[in-house]
Amino acid sequence: MHILIFSEAIKSSETPFWKEEIKAEIDSITQNGTWTLVDLSLGGKPIGCKWIFKTEYNSDGSIVKYKFFLNGDLEEEIYMVQPDGCIVSGQENKVCKLLKSLYGLKQAPKQKNRGDSVAQSEYAQIIGSLLHLINFSQHDIAYVVCRVSRYTHNPNNDHWAALVRLMKYLRGTMNYGILYSGFFAVLEGYSDANWISNSNEIKSNSGYVFTLEGGAFTWKSTKQNIIAKSTMESEFIALELAGIEAEWLRNFLANIPLGIKPTPSVLMRCDCQVAIAIVKNKTFNGKKRYICLRHNVIKQLLKDGTISIDYVKSEVNLADLLTKPLGRKLIDETSRRIGLEPI
């Protein structure tokens, strides 16, 4: 990287390039209304500014790009002298009244930090509203909200873009709600896990949904609190989470007068045959303590008759919606199967 000031740049062999870049920068500043030329007020003192020219090189010495920016030393900006090489003819005695911050000025970072703070607060408020929404009806957005909520303290442009797409989807489903048919008053559950799907993730996602009378009764999408080393382990962790919820729901329904016939067990459906086979095996030779503990919990729930477990294909696993991104068609189909329809 090679750095020059204005007097050096205009005498260098790259002068034509720098002049073009300076013109482009000034045009951009003018279009953005960064400053306006005014007479210096009585007693006012304009701050100085300077061009910084940087040339970046490849390892072989070839130029990657030319970069430059205005740099200033500012405690509390009001006025700035016109930049070298850009003094307006006939208005040489005028100064730039700053309307926006410039790169490198001391207050630019302060303004950026204030802007970031406001944006972060707005992002957090939106996430809070979305979390409230998924707790009541919109289980179809639970996975997305679970993901974007992880960045509440430091959202970037990608996270904001995801929220915008989500809002557009919600605008098209504003009249949706969960419909219950009144038939098949049997509590059933679906469990799923999505093992780490990219290199940026170290923990898998768990999801479950329980249906009653044709509609979703309760659901959850969450990041697992331990690192699973395989798909089977992640499914085990998800099954234990769903099994504990099934036990609580079964006891809850048994103690309220809904006219629901008590069920001997809650049927849990899982799309991992290996996990199901290991759960139903009375002996488990796993050496990992955190998996053994979960195996024991699920095995006890099976032994007590609290739950039973059956296999379901992934494409018809209702909890699939809560653990991974799906196409719009599959989202719509799965949502309808758990009661989310226009009201």
Side-chain angles (χ1 to χ4, degrees):
M1 180 183 297
H2 188 50
I3 300 177
L4 299 173
I5 59 174
F6 180 80
S7 59
E8 296 171 331
I10 61 173
K11 296 177 183 178
S12 69
S13 58
E14 289 87 14
T15 297
F17 299 102
W18 291 128
K19 286 184 175 180
E20 289 181 12
E21 295 296 325
I22 288 174
K23 183 179 182 303
E25 177 69 4
I26 293 298
D27 288 344
S28 175
I29 286 174
T30 302
Q31 291 175 5
N32 292 329
T34 304
W35 66 56
T36 182
L37 288 177
V38 298
D39 293 319
L40 184 63
S41 61
L42 184 65
K45 184 179 179 180
I47 63 168
C49 68
K50 61 183 178 180
W51 292 102
I52 300 295
F53 302 86
K54 298 168 68 175
T55 306
E56 295 183 357
Y57 298 91
N58 283 316
S59 57
D60 60 2
S62 60
I63 294 175
V64 179
K65 66 173 71 173
Y66 294 99
K67 295 175 64 178
F68 70 101
F69 47 87
L70 279 171
N71 190 15
D73 185 14
L74 178 63
E75 290 295 331
E76 188 174 11
E77 89 279 9
I78 299 178
Y79 303 107
M80 184 184 77
V81 299
Q82 297 184 53
D84 290 336
C86 303
I87 298 174
V88 179
S89 177
Q91 301 188 66
E92 293 86 351
N93 294 326
K94 293 186 179 293
V95 294
C96 302
K97 182 180 179 180
L98 294 181
L99 304 177
K100 297 181 181 179
S101 294
L102 291 170
Y103 182 88
L105 299 182
K106 285 187 176 179
Q107 282 172 322
K110 295 178 184 177
Q111 292 183 2
K112 179 179 183 301
N113 289 337
R114 285 197 296 269
D116 286 347
S117 178
V118 171
Q120 185 274 332
S121 178
E122 292 177 348
Y123 188 93
Q125 290 177 5
I126 295 172
I127 292 297
S129 298
L130 292 171
L131 289 171
H132 179 79
L133 183 60
I134 65 174
N135 284 335
F136 284 91
S137 62
Q138 296 273 174
H139 43 65
D140 52 331
I141 64 170
Y143 170 73
V144 178
V145 175
C146 176
R147 291 298 303 269
V148 295
S149 66
R150 300 173 190 175
Y151 310 100
T152 302
H153 297 293
N154 187 29
N156 62 27
N157 290 337
D158 290 337
H159 306 136
W160 274 109
L163 281 189
V164 170
R165 290 195 298 271
L166 180 56
M167 291 301 179
K168 290 180 179 179
Y169 172 78
L170 288 174
R171 187 170 59 186
T173 58
M174 289 177 63
N175 62 330
Y176 278 51
I178 301 176
L179 299 179
Y180 298 93
S181 64
F183 299 100
F184 306 109
V186 176
L187 182 67
E188 296 182 339
Y190 294 79
S191 171
D192 190 42
N194 183 32
W195 194 42
I196 47 177
S197 55
N198 61 67
S199 58
N200 295 324
E201 298 286 339
I202 60 172
K203 293 181 179 178
S204 306
N205 295 297
S206 289
Y208 63 69
V209 59
F210 290 86
T211 61
L212 188 67
E213 297 190 347
F217 185 64
T218 184
W219 55 87
K220 187 170 187 176
S221 176
T222 185
K223 178 186 280 191
Q224 296 181 354
N225 55 13
I226 60 175
I227 300 174
K229 302 296 180 62
S230 67
T231 299
M232 184 275 293
E233 288 189 6
S234 66
E235 294 284 357
F236 244 81
I237 296 168
L239 260 178
E240 185 219 19
L241 181 68
I244 293 173
E245 180 72 4
E247 181 180 31
W248 187 91
L249 289 173
R250 183 170 179 262
N251 293 334
F252 171 73
L253 293 174
N255 288 285
I256 57 175
L258 288 178
I260 300 175
K261 184 179 180 180
T263 179
S265 63
V266 179
L267 176 59
M268 294 295 307
R269 292 183 170 90
C270 172
D271 58 14
C272 181
Q273 297 191 62
V274 175
I276 295 174
I278 294 176
V279 165
K280 292 183 176 180
N281 191 339
K282 294 182 179 180
T283 59
F284 178 59
N285 297 321
K287 297 180 180 179
K288 297 172 183 175
R289 184 172 181 272
Y290 63 91
I291 295 297
C292 288
L293 291 174
R294 283 161 175 79
H295 178 269
N296 290 336
V297 170
I298 301 169
K299 186 172 67 175
Q300 188 62 46
L301 291 173
L302 283 170
K303 182 179 179 181
D304 293 343
T306 302
I307 65 171
S308 60
I309 301 177
D310 201 0
Y311 171 73
V312 64
K313 292 183 179 179
S314 182
E315 55 266 28
V316 290
N317 186 350
L318 301 185
D320 221 34
L321 182 72
L322 303 170
T323 61
K324 57 182 71 69
L326 302 177
R328 180 60 184 267
K329 182 180 178 181
L330 194 53
I331 289 176
D332 291 342
E333 291 176 354
T334 306
S335 296
R336 282 195 298 270
R337 291 178 56 217
I338 44 183
L340 188 64
E341 298 180 19
I343 297 178

